[in-house]
Amino acid sequence: MKALKPLLMSGREVLPLVEGGKGVAVSNGESSGAWAAAGGVGTFSGVNADSYDESGHIIPQVYHGKTRRERHHELIAYGIRGAVAQARMAHERSNGQGRIHMNVLWEMGGAEAILHGALEGAKGLIHGVTCGAGMPYRIAEIAARYGCHYYPIVSSARAFRALWLRAYQKFRDNLGGIVYEDPWLAGGHNGLSNSEDPQRPEDPFPRVLALRQMLNSFGLQAVPIIMAGGVWWLSEWEDWLDNPDLGPIAFQFGTRPLLTEESPISMAWKRKLLTLKEGDVFLNQFSPTGFYSSGVKNPFMLELMARSERQVAFLPKPVGEHAAEFPVGPRGRPVYLTETDRQRAQSWVAQGFTTALKTPDSTLVFVTPEKAEQILQDQIDCMGCLSACRFSNWSQNEEGTTGKKADPRSYCIQKTLQAVSHTDDCENQLMFAGHNAYRFASDPYYAGGFIPTVKQLVER
C-alpha cells in the first residue's frame, strides 16, 4: 500500500486520519486527545458534552427549570461547560501532537451560544470546528472570530456551493477542509436529500470528484476533502491516495474508534459491536430532527418500527370510505377510519395496544398505556436540545414551538443518548453506528475480542 503523506490541517501537518466527532459523550477529550497524540486529528463532541466536579466525577445533566425555555438555558450552560472541559482534557492528552477539533450539530439547541462559549472558554485549545446536520452558514464567521478553522460537513457538491456563495467565500482563509459524509453509509444523522433514494446507495467517488471540481472552480485546490462514512481499512481506498483528480484527501473514522481502550462507551456497548451482523445497522427516519439516521436494529429501534406499523389514517368527520366510527381518548370521542383500518385497530387494541395517539399527519398510532405515559412524560420534560424537535414540538424561536402537533412516532433523543452513553443499557436505547459496524465481528484484527488502544489502531 502507498505510504500516507502528511496533510496540512488547521495550521499543522498531520496524518490524514481524522476521528469522527460522535455526539453526546461518545467522542470525548480522552479519545480525541489520544487520536491527536498519535499524529492525526482528534475530534471531541461538543453536543451536550460531559463536565466534571472537583473530584473528576461526571456531573449528571439534571434540569430544574419549570419551563422548556428555562431548561433550554440550563442545557446551553451544561453544553458550554462540557465543551470547555473536553477541550482541556484533549489538549492535555494530545501531548502537543496532532490537532484537536470540536464537532457540533448546527441544528442542536443553542448551537451558536455553545460555539461562542466553548471557543472563548477554551481559546487556543480548539484548532478546528466540524459542523453538519443542517446548513451551517454562520459557522465560518464564528470560527474566524476566534482564529479557528472550520470544516463543514456536506453530502453533495451542491450543498457546499450554496454554503460557499452565501457565506464561506468571505472567510476563505479559515476554511480548513470539507467533510464529505456518505449519506448511505455514515453513522448518526445522514444528509440524504429529497432527490436521493435511501435504498439506492451511490458510489462516493463520482460525488467526491464533483465536490473537488467545484472546489477547484472556487480556487480551493489546496483545501482537503475528508472522506467520511464507510471507511474501514485504508487499503480499500488506495486509489484515492495521491489521486490528482481528487487532490488532497483525508479519511475520517467514526465507528472504528468506538472499539478502542480510550473510547468512553460502556463495555456492554463494545461487546455488542463485536456481535453485529450485516444489515443490523438500519437507515431510518425516526429521529426527532427529521433527518435520516443510521442506528443499530436493537429492541429500541424495533419498538419504533413496530409502533409506526400500528398506524392508520383518520378523519374528524365521516367522508367517503372513512365512515367507520372509532372512539379515541378518555372520553371516547369518535374519529372515522376505513372499515379495514377499523378492524386492524381493533386487533391492536385486543393485543394490549389500547391507547391511540394522534400524529401531525392525521394518523393514529397504537401503543400500550405504559408506553403512552412514557411518551407524554418525555415530551413534557423537553429541554430544547434541538433547534426544532418534531417529537416534543419544541422550537427555539420566540413562540417556543414548531406550530405542529408533537409526534409520538419519534423519541426524546437527549434522554436516550445520555442513557446509552452513561449506562450499560445498549439494548433499550438508541445506538448510532455506521453501516460497516458489522465488520468488527469478521475482521481478524479484533479476533478474540481484542480492543486496541487508539495508538495501536492508528498505527495499524
Side-chain angles (χ1 to χ4, degrees), residues 96-110:
Q97 303 301 306
R99 296 278 85 176
I100 297 295
H101 289 180
M102 177 174 76
N103 181 70
V104 295
L105 309 178
W106 192 245
E107 296 300 335
M108 75 184 194

Side-chain angles (χ1 to χ4, degrees), residues 2-3 5 238-245 247 249:
K2 298 173 184 174
K5 295 179 179 177
E238 191 168 7
D239 58 334
W240 287 48
L241 298 174
D242 303 325
N243 187 316
D245 293 329
I249 287 283

